[in-house]
Amino acid sequence: MDEKDVELLSIVEEQGRLSEDQLAKMIALPADEVTKRLRRLEKDNVILGYSALVDWSKTEKAEPVTAAIDVKVTPTRGRGFDEVAERIYRYHEVKALYLMSGTYDLSVVIEGESMSEIARFVSEKLSTLESVISTTTHFQLKRYKHDGFIFVDEDDQDPRMVVSP
């Protein structure tokens, strides 16, 4: 991996919808070279996928309920946290999973259609895993910023005048 690969990755991570021709101009390489590099990075699992960030509150579809779950686990001999993490990330509800420092070992981000669906996931799937000692669930109430994108419209700002002594 060279400097051009890193530059290409940075641009794609920030602006995944750019065409290969646009990317080629931005990093000063021929378009066919950019195509080769992207395919290699995808094959090597450096680029894992491309996605869109959607503000579901502006659509007719009901917003999914998102929760962050702090999980305390007992690591397994020889595999540490990896074994239990692998069991957890295989559930389709799990959108993200991180090993953390601090009081809890894992942070699990899940989505569901309702709070009760998430509660069922925690009580029936997550808490029943042998390595799981405890969980703490935090429901996302409002999204202000995610992946660098601000979700609050300027029109939604508080119109009240600031009064100070």
Side-chain angles (χ1 to χ4, degrees):
M1 185 173 303
D2 62 17
E3 190 178 308
K4 289 291 186 182
D5 282 342
V6 173
E7 189 177 0
L8 181 61
L9 288 169
S10 295
I11 295 168
V12 169
E13 183 179 40
E14 185 71 28
Q15 304 175 52
R17 290 195 64 192
L18 294 176
S19 71
E20 291 168 2
D21 288 333
Q22 291 170 311
L23 291 168
K25 288 176 187 170
M26 292 174 82
I27 64 171
L29 285 176
D32 63 330
E33 176 64 23
V34 168
T35 301
K36 279 191 250 177
R37 286 174 182 261
L38 286 172
R39 298 307 163 253
R40 179 178 42 79
L41 292 166
E42 290 166 356
K43 181 179 173 275
D44 294 344
N45 288 325
V46 177
I47 296 176
L48 299 174
Y50 302 88
S51 64
L53 185 57
V54 177
D55 186 351
W56 289 106
S57 70
K58 295 181 178 175
T59 69
E60 297 293 321
K61 184 183 181 306
E63 277 186 83
V65 177
T66 303
I69 307 165
D70 298 327
V71 184
K72 183 83 174 149
V73 300
T74 303
T76 57
R77 187 179 304 253
R79 297 261 345 249
F81 296 102
D82 295 345
E83 187 173 312
V84 69
E86 186 175 330
R87 291 191 65 193
I88 293 170
Y89 70 61
R90 294 204 180 277
Y91 290 116
H92 76 273
E93 296 94 339
V94 175
K95 299 302 174 198
L97 176 62
Y98 308 99
L99 178 62
M100 306 296 287
S101 64
T103 307
Y104 290 91
D105 303 308
L106 299 172
S107 179
V108 183
V109 178
I110 68 168
E111 283 185 359
E113 291 186 15
S114 66
M115 291 175 118
S116 59
E117 183 179 320
I118 290 173
R120 275 193 305 279
F121 172 82
V122 173
S123 65
E124 296 172 7
K125 295 179 179 178
L126 190 58
S127 295
T128 60
L129 295 175
E130 192 172 308
S131 298
V132 173
I133 297 169
S134 66
T135 64
T136 303
T137 303
H138 309 274
F139 287 98
Q140 177 184 301
L141 301 177
K142 183 174 182 178
R143 186 181 291 195
Y144 293 100
K145 187 174 182 178
H146 183 82
D147 283 346
F149 291 94
I150 296 172
F151 281 72
V152 180
D153 289 334
E154 295 296 321
D155 301 341
D156 293 344
Q157 301 273 334
D158 192 343
R160 296 177 290 181
M161 182 186 310
V162 177
V163 177
S164 59

